[in-house]
Amino acid sequence: MSVAAPIRLDFGALKGTIHRKLIQTLNLDRLTQMDREAVRFEVSRIIESLVVAESTPMTLAERERLSQEVLDEVFGLGPLEPLLKDPTVSDILVNTFKNVYVERAGLLEHTAIQFRDDAHLMAIIDRIVSAVGRRVDESSPMVDARLPDGSRVNAIIPPLAVDGPCVSIRRFGRDPLGADDLIRNKSITPQMVELLRGCVKARLNILVSGGTGSGKTTLLNVLSSFIPNRERIVTVEDAAELQLHQEHVVRLETRPPNIEGQGAIRQRQLVINCLRMRPDRIIVGEVRGDEALDMLQAMNTGHDGSLTTVHANTPRDALGRLETMVAMGNLGIPESATRRQIASAIHLVVQASRLSDGTRKVVSVSEITGMEGDTVTMQEIFAFQKQGVGPDGAVLGAFTATGIRPKFSERLSAAGIRFPMEMFQRTTI
């Protein structure tokens, strides 16, 4: 006697069926007069009745899962909702509808999550971008947007994405990492934190440098947390990511062109405008182009204590990139004049790096000391010395002091900030 094979539940097809029936059942006129929680309760009740009405045999757990997934389709971002609720996920990478990857603890891993097809993924992309007044279609196939929790979203669709729509979500937790968290994660030492805290309070201009995903924005958040609450802060960002908790904060964000290609507001325009807003501190999320010149001029003309980030692999590369970005303005400024601007504007370069094991560390704290001929001179105060890789793939190394007492220590002393000499004594590993 043969045993009947167990019925395999096709969740995708069943979810699509319930979703279609739900749309036909809903009284949209009535729902628009209810608040969000009441709408969610009403939709949940209708979904439950539709699931019960299905003849497909399901366990209670499967029924609850189906109800939750349909709710996610209606109110959230569909299959991505479980990942957005997972605090261990830092990046979500959708490589076409069939492949979804996540980053946990700095390492990428493949997930079993899939979309039904390209149309399903496009519907989710449209929901994300329309919520912030952006659009994506064949005439505008690339878009940057932001989720309600501050996470940054980039979407690119055909014809630019050959295999199908792709989405990248950079997560930003509701509770950003603080200095204590970085120390606990061994991303930085208490001595380095104390030095950076003193530099921010003494109104030194700081440039945070690092590659993609190295923790530049997290570090900028930590540095900005050292700014006294009584000061007026103006932030300029391409996509608002900073999470400042001071009372007096004005946040500015660039604007892309509209459907006619008009109305774009670039970072340079915002930097120029913020100088007219009587800021005590200017924080530029990341300098990418000719706004670098206006940022340097602001630092050189009384706006001390400014903070910004730049994409670069070393402190020296960071200065080179600044020089290149100033040249992008086509103002014909000589290289030597640009370097003098950089040398006098920036006091400290903090280099963040993402290591091969996925950990993020502050690998260098360097002071800009001036000019020798046409060369900007620097000296490293703290560094992370890499020693190798352990059997488990973890990077081995230690934070060291170079033995150099920074020249700006006199400026810190004048501001009432003093450090013990032992803090800068050379350490060996």
Side-chain angles (χ1 to χ4, degrees):
M1 180 177 174
S2 61
V3 179
I7 299 173
R8 298 191 66 179
L9 189 61
D10 187 348
F11 255 92
L14 193 55
K15 188 165 63 174
T17 301
I18 297 292
H19 196 183
R20 283 193 298 274
K21 289 183 178 179
L22 174 66
I23 299 301
Q24 295 165 3
T25 306
L26 289 176
N27 182 342
L28 297 179
D29 291 335
R30 180 167 168 265
L31 291 181
T32 55
Q33 299 170 7
M34 301 165 63
D35 63 47
R36 186 176 177 83
E37 281 306 311
V39 170
R40 196 176 184 89
F41 177 79
E42 178 74 6
V43 171
S44 298
R45 187 184 61 76
I46 296 172
I47 290 172
E48 283 293 334
S49 63
L50 291 173
V51 170
V52 170
E54 284 295 315
S55 57
T56 307
M58 283 183 285
T59 65
L60 180 61
E62 288 173 334
R63 193 179 300 174
E64 289 177 351
R65 175 188 161 192
L66 183 60
S67 298
Q68 185 58 51
E69 288 188 6
V70 175
L71 268 176
D72 289 342
E73 289 289 340
V74 175
F75 290 105
L77 301 183
L80 299 181
E81 277 298 312
L83 300 179
L84 292 169
K85 293 172 184 173
D86 186 345
T88 65
V89 172
S90 55
D91 284 352
I92 301 170
L93 307 171
V94 182
N95 300 352
T96 71
F97 74 92
K98 294 182 289 188
N99 292 303
V100 178
Y101 291 82
V102 297
E103 182 188 278
R104 286 189 176 93
L107 300 175
L108 284 177
E109 56 185 72
H110 189 260
T111 71
I113 290 173
Q114 291 188 344
F115 293 81
R116 286 193 304 275
D117 48 31
D118 282 345
H120 185 202
L121 177 53
M122 280 300 302
I124 298 300
I125 293 173
D126 282 330
R127 185 175 302 171
I128 293 171
V129 301
S130 61
V132 291
R134 308 277 172 96
R135 67 186 183 90
V136 60
D137 51 38
E138 283 194 12
S139 63
S140 179
M142 293 186 297
V143 68
D144 282 310
R146 197 172 62 252
L147 296 179
D149 67 356
S151 298
R152 190 172 68 203
V153 182
N154 175 270
I156 184 165
I157 67 171
L160 300 187
V162 177
D163 298 319
C166 296
V167 181
S168 306
I169 301 178
R170 299 287 308 279
R171 297 290 310 284
F172 294 98
R174 290 181 174 84
D175 299 314
L177 295 177
D180 292 338
D181 298 309
L182 297 189
I183 293 171
R184 195 162 40 248
N185 294 340
K186 298 181 179 177
S187 298
I188 197 170
T189 65
Q191 292 82 3
M192 294 163 75
V193 168
E194 283 310 303
L195 178 66
L196 295 175
R197 189 195 308 272
C199 290
V200 171
K201 289 184 176 179
R203 303 182 66 88
L204 270 62
N205 296 321
I206 301 175
L207 175 67
V208 177
S209 167
T212 301
S214 60
K216 296 189 301 298
T217 303
T218 298
L219 194 51
L220 193 60
N221 263 324
V222 170
L223 294 176
S224 64
S225 70
F226 301 147
I227 298 173
N229 200 41
R230 65 182 180 275
E231 296 188 18
R232 174 177 169 84
I233 305 168
V234 180
T235 70
V236 176
E237 298 178 83
D238 201 36
E241 300 170 6
L242 293 172
Q243 299 174 348
L244 277 67
H245 297 291
Q246 286 87 344
E247 293 177 6
H248 204 160
V249 178
V250 179
R251 304 170 73 205
L252 307 180
E253 184 181 41
T254 60
R255 186 176 72 185
N258 59 20
I259 194 167
E260 289 88 19
Q262 305 295 320
I265 303 295
R266 297 165 54 233
Q267 272 204 149
R268 184 172 191 185
Q269 295 167 274
L270 293 180
V271 171
I272 293 171
N273 187 79
C274 81
L275 298 176
R276 302 166 183 151
M277 298 175 67
R278 197 246 169 243
D280 289 313
R281 306 269 187 158
I282 298 171
I283 302 178
V284 179
E286 182 182 329
V287 284
R288 290 187 173 91
D290 52 5
E291 70 272 6
L293 176 61
D294 301 283
M295 182 70 202
L296 291 172
Q297 289 181 325
M299 291 175 170
N300 273 323
T301 54
H303 294 90
D304 294 335
S306 297
L307 308 171
T308 189
T309 74
V310 66
H311 262 89
N313 293 324
T314 67
R316 180 63 63 184
D317 288 347
L319 302 187
R321 281 218 66 211
L322 279 181
E323 197 177 321
T324 302
M325 287 186 281
V326 170
M328 289 167 66
N330 294 320
L331 298 176
I333 301 174
E335 284 185 2
S336 57
T338 302
R339 289 172 185 167
R340 279 196 296 273
Q341 282 259 28
I342 293 171
S344 60
I346 297 170
H347 302 105
L348 204 64
V349 181
V350 183
Q351 182 71 38
S353 183
R354 177 175 164 177
L355 306 183
S356 58
D357 60 355
T359 59
R360 297 165 172 87
K361 295 188 186 296
V362 176
V363 296
S364 174
V365 177
S366 302
E367 177 190 19
I368 294 181
T369 56
M371 296 278 294
E372 281 187 10
D374 283 340
T375 304
V376 179
T377 55
M378 304 176 71
Q379 59 184 17
E380 197 168 50
I381 303 166
F382 291 106
F384 177 78
Q385 299 290 341
K386 185 177 174 181
Q387 296 171 290
V389 179
D392 57 351
V395 172
L396 305 176
F399 292 98
T400 62
T402 60
I404 297 172
R405 185 175 178 86
K407 290 177 67 175
F408 59 67
S409 56
E410 295 175 5
R411 180 166 173 174
L412 268 59
S413 297
I417 301 164
R418 292 178 174 82
F419 299 110
M421 285 292 295
E422 304 80 55
M423 188 169 114
F424 302 107
Q425 284 181 356
R426 185 178 182 83
T427 52
T428 55
I429 55 174

